[in-house]
Amino acid sequence: MRRCGLIGLLLLATSAPGMATAPVQPTLVVALAVDQYSADLFSEYRSLYRHGLARLASGAVFPRGYQSHAGTETCPGHSTILTGAHPARTGIVANEWYEPSRLPAQNGQAMVARYCATTIDASGARVLSPEALLVPTLGDRLRAADARSRSVAISGKDRSAIMLGGKNASVTLWMDWQAGFTTYPAVKLGDGMARRVAEVNAEVKRIYVSGQRQPKLPEQCAARAQPIALTPEVSVGELHPTAAKAKRWRATPAFDALTLRMALAAVDELQLGKGPAVDLLAVSFAATDYVGHYFGTQGAEMCAQQLALDATIGRLLSHLDRAGISYVVTLTADHGGLDIPERNRPRGVPTAQRADPELSPGRVGAAVAKELNLTGSVLLDSELANDVYLAPSVEGWQRAVVLEAVRRKYQQHPQVAKVFTRNELLAVEPPGGPPDEWTLLERAKESFNPQRSGDLVVILKPYVTLYGKPENPDRDYVASHGSPWDYDRRVPILFWWRGIVPFEQPAAVETVDIAPTLADLIGFKVGPHEMDGQVLQVGQR
Ligand code: ZN
């Protein structure tokens, strides 16, 4: 060791060939999330990108990033990105969970459903809030260390903006698809920002009323336009030129374009990256998720969306360039996604199918109650996700008996891969090592929080889609995510700054590695064990 001193100094002085270089001290960290942007979409469309995504794909590229937990939904996924913590630690185990009621007024119910991005205000009403997030985001940490740092989070979805912003963001903005961008009631935006919000919202309201046309199908997407009939009335696969109305306009590129307009407004009005301390801008683009849910992932609709997203992100980066800001940018996703079974079956996945409605906790709970001669349902009703909760009306010694009966009922179903009990999850150690080698139980462990998770975790077999066939084509989703299988866990993780020495690392890394890596890139100290992730060496200092 002693003899290495001089050689070490020489190596430091002459950066070795091929070694990544650190950015000039950045003044702005840009963290982008693309909702439902699976590693599979990145790989499929990478060669077609020409703008922002092409630039990001020319930096440090981790094509096999992992949202490594089991419950691959939007809120948990976004909660990992800037906290560096798994959902077990962020507390955001799902988009919605059951927890003990805090108010006697809640119809006397002992357990109530809680949406991840809410709290209860003084009047007992549910209001949007970051309260449920149990750990600070990188923006929260920057602002705690230096109050001059600004942290801004913007998304088409409330839960995405709130999880990226954390508890102490300067500005958190999300879009109500009918009324436009909004923030917490107590927050007053500055005049400039308020004016820009009003401009964008006038456009949102116009689109909501008159609908939004899909773009012309790009030439590169022509071969992907093949209709797949889901019902006699509904087919997907082609890009229909008719205007998307009401909620469905979220599945057009205009949804991301307006999110971008809001982000650019924040850059200009708040002069992000021009202050005395490092600022953070987090933006989550949600249209890819709605395209996936309404049309599946492998049709012309997704192709058009991917090319539009590439252009949208390109406009963001060009704007930052023109403003002369020194920035580092990262991009990932909250989860991956799965195509519709009707297209997967003829394309090499004959086992792809839709989930049996009999698997819903309401129906299983009623069936088990009947078997045991109990009244009502023994399970809290909810859409089938991973967590299943015993009803609080099942008391004392009955709970163990009912739990075993429910476990057996689920386990016997041909679409169910595995059922874990709360005790199994409590007993298992958190996993270490590469996330692609974790067992199902280990994946579920990183989604498990004792105060919020269910009594059972039910894991469906791969390629079982949660949604049924669309009964109301204006509203219903046809494809899903949320499983612990890799198509839902694998997401790209990209880093880029001007001057980065590019490389590609095919080994599996995690989205919880992003926050420690960003902190390292800006020279911000985070104590050991404060985050679950590790620093990825993307640029040597
Ligand atoms: Zn999502």
Side-chain angles (χ1 to χ4, degrees):
M1 278 303 285
R2 273 168 300 151
R3 289 184 173 268
C4 292
L6 183 60
I7 297 165
L9 277 176
L10 282 172
L11 278 174
L12 279 176
T14 58
S15 143
M19 189 179 274
T21 49
V24 180
Q25 179 59 39
T27 55
L28 180 65
V29 172
V30 181
L32 306 179
V34 175
D35 205 307
Q36 205 188 126
Y37 188 42
S38 64
D40 298 327
L41 283 181
F42 175 67
S43 120
E44 180 177 353
Y45 288 102
R46 191 170 175 181
S47 64
L48 296 187
Y49 298 139
R50 295 291 177 271
H51 305 285
L53 286 167
R55 201 197 293 192
L56 297 181
S58 73
V61 177
F62 297 85
R64 295 174 72 240
Y66 274 79
Q67 288 279 5
S68 46
H69 52 275
T72 49
E73 297 183 336
T74 297
C75 217
H78 279 89
S79 84
T80 70
I81 297 170
L82 287 177
T83 63
H86 295 118
R89 188 168 181 173
T90 67
I92 308 299
V93 296
N95 282 349
E96 192 172 285
W97 59 83
Y98 276 96
E99 62 180 33
S101 158
R102 283 184 274 174
L103 289 174
Q106 286 169 336
N107 305 325
Q109 289 173 298
M111 297 281 280
V112 288
R114 164 107 180 249
Y115 174 53
C116 60
T118 58
T119 188
I120 301 169
D121 74 3
S123 69
R126 286 278 178 202
V127 290
L128 289 166
S129 160
E131 187 203 64
L133 182 63
L134 302 177
V135 290
T137 59
L138 182 60
D140 289 339
R141 289 173 185 273
L142 291 175
R143 283 168 61 73
D146 186 337
R148 299 171 304 173
S149 274
R150 277 86 48 86
S151 152
V152 173
I154 295 173
S155 175
K157 288 187 187 177
D158 52 26
R159 56 185 175 276
S160 308
I162 289 170
M163 291 302 136
L164 292 174
K167 292 194 173 167
N168 193 25
S170 324
V171 175
T172 306
L173 283 172
W174 58 86
M175 200 199 297
D176 174 308
W177 42 270
Q178 188 167 1
F181 282 93
T182 183
T183 187
Y184 304 117
V187 173
K188 184 153 170 22
L189 299 171
D191 288 347
M193 200 61 202
R195 183 176 46 80
R196 302 284 288 266
V197 168
E199 284 168 13
V200 170
N201 289 358
E203 180 69 4
V204 172
K205 286 171 199 158
R206 189 195 64 74
I207 292 175
Y208 177 73
V209 172
S210 15
Q212 175 67 41
R213 275 189 183 282
Q214 288 286 2
K216 196 169 165 296
L217 187 67
E219 209 177 290
Q220 304 95 303
C221 299
R224 286 175 170 83
Q226 293 170 21
I228 305 275
L230 300 182
T231 71
E233 291 81 35
V234 183
S235 95
V236 297
E238 299 168 297
L239 198 67
H240 295 289
T242 50
K245 288 216 168 120
K247 280 183 166 184
R248 279 183 90 103
W249 86 267
R250 297 174 299 176
T252 70
F255 198 65
D256 286 345
L258 291 179
T259 305
L260 170 74
R261 261 178 73 181
M262 222 55 275
L264 299 188
V267 170
D268 295 346
E269 297 295 335
L270 304 177
Q271 290 286 292
L272 295 180
K274 302 277 189 182
V278 178
D279 296 324
L280 187 146
L281 171 66
V283 188
S284 174
F285 294 103
T288 298
D289 184 61
Y290 292 114
V291 171
H293 282 306
Y294 284 125
F295 307 114
T297 61
Q298 302 305 125
E301 302 96 335
M302 184 59 84
C303 184
Q305 165 58 21
Q306 285 299 305
L307 298 188
L309 174 71
D310 176 36
T312 299
I313 292 173
R315 277 158 53 211
L316 170 62
L317 301 183
S318 305
H319 189 91
L320 298 174
D321 295 339
R322 280 196 304 275
I325 298 168
S326 169
Y327 61 93
V328 292
V329 55
T330 185
L331 183 144
T332 191
D334 54 344
H335 50 76
L338 175 64
D339 195 26
I340 50 171
E342 292 79 4
R343 193 161 36 210
N344 262 329
R345 276 195 298 270
R347 292 184 177 181
V349 189
T351 57
Q353 56 195 289
R354 294 186 178 276
D356 179 355
E358 292 301 320
L359 286 167
S360 81
R363 295 205 197 176
V364 169
V368 170
K370 207 168 162 201
E371 280 173 25
L372 299 177
N373 283 322
L374 298 167
T375 50
S377 172
V378 296
L379 297 177
L380 289 173
D381 200 8
S382 59
E383 280 189 29
L384 180 64
N386 296 320
D387 288 278
V388 172
Y389 297 79
L390 284 193
S393 57
V394 182
E395 289 178 302
W397 62 269
Q398 283 187 333
R399 287 184 79 80
V401 174
V402 168
L403 191 73
E404 178 51 25
V406 172
R407 194 194 64 77
R408 209 169 336 113
K409 187 98 189 156
Y410 270 115
Q411 194 67 75
Q412 283 165 356
H413 194 285
Q415 288 184 330
V416 171
K418 208 82 187 161
V419 184
F420 298 123
T421 64
R422 178 180 190 79
N423 283 341
E424 287 175 281
L425 285 157
L426 283 167
V428 69
E429 287 294 317
D436 50 344
E437 294 176 10
W438 295 2
T439 64
L440 283 179
L441 182 61
E442 287 172 330
R443 298 172 199 189
K445 176 73 172 183
E446 290 299 10
S447 277
F448 179 76
N449 177 288
Q451 275 75 45
R452 296 174 179 177
S453 293
D455 297 293
L456 291 171
V457 170
V458 176
I459 291 172
L460 301 183
K461 287 185 177 165
Y463 301 103
V464 177
T465 291
L466 284 175
Y467 299 109
K469 291 202 173 195
E471 286 164 15
N472 179 347
D474 283 338
R475 200 186 57 206
D476 293 350
Y477 286 169
V478 301
S480 71
H481 53 83
S483 82
W485 303 109
D486 277 2
Y487 47 76
D488 283 344
R489 294 169 81 220
R490 287 193 311 116
V491 295
I493 297 179
L494 314 173
F495 295 90
W496 184 90
W497 58 84
R498 193 162 297 288
I500 188 173
V501 175
F503 68 88
E504 182 143 341
Q505 172 52 269
V509 297
E510 296 182 69
T511 55
V512 294
D513 299 335
I514 292 172
T517 301
L518 291 174
D520 183 63
L521 281 171
I522 57 173
F524 182 80
K525 290 275 174 288
V526 177
H529 313 300
E530 284 184 35
M531 293 180 175
D532 293 333
Q534 57 166 337
V535 174
L536 303 172
Q537 297 295 331
V538 292
Q540 301 287 328
R541 280 198 171 276

